[in-house]
Amino acid sequence: MASSHRISRRDFAKFVTAALSTIMGAAMGIPVIAYLIDPALKVQSSEAWIPLGPLDGFPEGTPKSFSFTRSNINGWEKTVNSYGGFIVKKSDSDILALSNRCTHLSCSVNWSEEDNAYTCPCHEAYFDMDGGVLDGPPPHALDHFETKVEEGDLYILFPAVPSHGG
Amino acid sequence: MFKNIYAWLDERLGFDDLYKGLLDRPEPHGNWWNTLGSASLFLFVMQGVTGIFLTVYYTPSPDHAYDSIQYIMNGVAFGWLIRGIHHWGASLMVLVVFIHMLRTFFSASYKYPRELTWIVGSLLFLLTLGMGFTGYLLPFNQRAYWATVVATNIGGVVPGAGPFILRALRGGTDVSALTLSRFFSAHIWMLPAALAALIGVHLYLIMRHGESAYPDADD
Ligand code: HEM
Ligand code: FES
């Protein structure tokens, strides 16, 4: 009877030691792990509607450039990135907002009236007015932003998304 | 099974012999004061571990040092805990090492054959103070900055070599980015390496001589 219900002094000591070690290990280990992986757990949601001003300000039939900046906080540092693109307005209901970031290696493309194309200065690439690749190394069309018009003002949704087709 | 694994390992590593030779030695009837050396060792290891974790975020440049510490305190999970332990542990270590020194002084443990233990111990104490001195600048706030201006000026009044000592400590005439980076280097590499090496010598000497016994009524 004694053997079935009582635990020996030695087993008790073993059990208490193991339990205390586990608690102390967790008390030290968990804070340390949380401390190390903390930045990886912070996800910055960056989606935002960026106002570009009155829609009337954009000419019909020819691309007009725009630019804006977004800031991110990494640790104690604010990183400001600039972005830009072109609004291609064909009518008040047919608006395309293209990113100016070349899909090859991210140089900025410029609209060239002369070539009737966006040209990339880095590796001589050409994109048509709607962003499709005409010539050069880029693998696919320029990215675009979703757009909306509210009370006469044009907004684009950051970040840009890939366009389909070449 | 564990016994067999242990026996296999021990036959090759000789842990049992090491243990018997180094640690399984008779201890004199001491008291709590005799634990302070081990407490110093524990604090040294603890400062080492928390310090390593602090360097994950701390940035030793005048532009970032202060902000990186604010970030550790407010932005990182448990950053306050890691820094808090390192911060208070620093003061505690100076205190504990100093009381350990007092105890070996009052128990006259520095006498033959333990003179070297005492001399190495004195160096350990100076190095511990050096850790405090260099660590104090790292937050690079007003208090850290001015404390270092004043403390390095103290080095500057040494007759003759003063101006040189001042420039050597600061890495130039002013407390600057150079001061911060050389203090950082001393704080995380040079002083801890010297401490670790001398602690090794210190402990070797203690194992070699055993601990001094307190005199009893017959002495
Ligand atoms: C980082 C600092 C130090 C560490 C880690 C350390 C560690 C130790 C340890 C573990 C012992 C074993 C006995 C005991 O705990 O009392 C010891 C003994 C001793 N320490 Fe230290 N110590 C440090 C600093 C010092 C200082 C500053 C002195 C004096 C200047 C000193 C002088 C001695 C002496 C003379 C003994 C022999 C005591 C005896 O045999 O009774 N130590 N030390
Ligand atoms: S980056 Fe535009 S063509 Fe290479």
Side-chain angles (χ1 to χ4, degrees), chain A residues 31-32 34-36 38-39 42 75-77, chain B residues 53-54 57 59 64 67-68 71 75 77-78:
Chain A
V32 163
Y35 175 85
L36 289 178
D38 186 74
K42 288 180 183 144
W76 59 92
E77 265 207 313
Chain B
F53 285 126
L54 285 176
Y57 297 104
T59 310
H64 297 293
D67 289 335
S68 66
Y71 182 65
F78 294 106

Side-chain angles (χ1 to χ4, degrees), chain B residues 6-57:
Chain B
Y6 182 80
W8 189 92
L9 284 173
D10 189 52
E11 204 177 329
R12 282 139 189 100
L13 295 168
F15 270 150
D16 271 352
D17 295 345
L18 266 184
Y19 174 77
K20 285 198 191 98
L22 298 179
L23 296 171
D24 194 10
R25 57 197 153 80
E27 287 290 325
H29 253 279
N31 54 41
W32 281 99
W33 298 106
N34 294 57
T35 61
L36 291 174
S38 307
S40 308
L41 181 61
F42 174 80
L43 287 169
F44 174 70
V45 172
M46 189 180 79
Q47 292 300 94
V49 171
T50 51
I52 287 172
F53 285 126
L54 285 176
T55 64
V56 173
Y57 297 104

Side-chain angles (χ1 to χ4, degrees), chain A residues 15-30:
Chain A
F15 174 79
V16 171
T17 311
L20 286 181
S21 316
T22 311
I23 294 172
M24 289 195 324
M28 292 192 284
I30 291 171

Side-chain angles (χ1 to χ4, degrees), chain A residues 63-113:
Chain A
K64 181 157 190 311
S65 69
F66 62 85
S67 64
F68 61 96
T69 58
R70 300 286 297 157
S71 63
N72 251 339
I73 302 214
N74 293 303
W76 59 92
E77 265 207 313
K78 200 167 166 173
T79 313
V80 179
N81 296 312
S82 338
Y83 300 87
F86 299 92
I87 298 296
V88 186
K89 185 168 98 172
K90 300 204 169 128
S91 72
D92 276 357
S93 58
D94 183 358
I95 302 157
L96 176 64
L98 287 174
S99 161
N100 67 359
R101 194 167 285 182
C102 180
T103 53
H104 179 220
L105 294 172
S106 301
C107 291
S108 297
V109 301
N110 305 300
W111 174 249
S112 157
E113 206 61 63

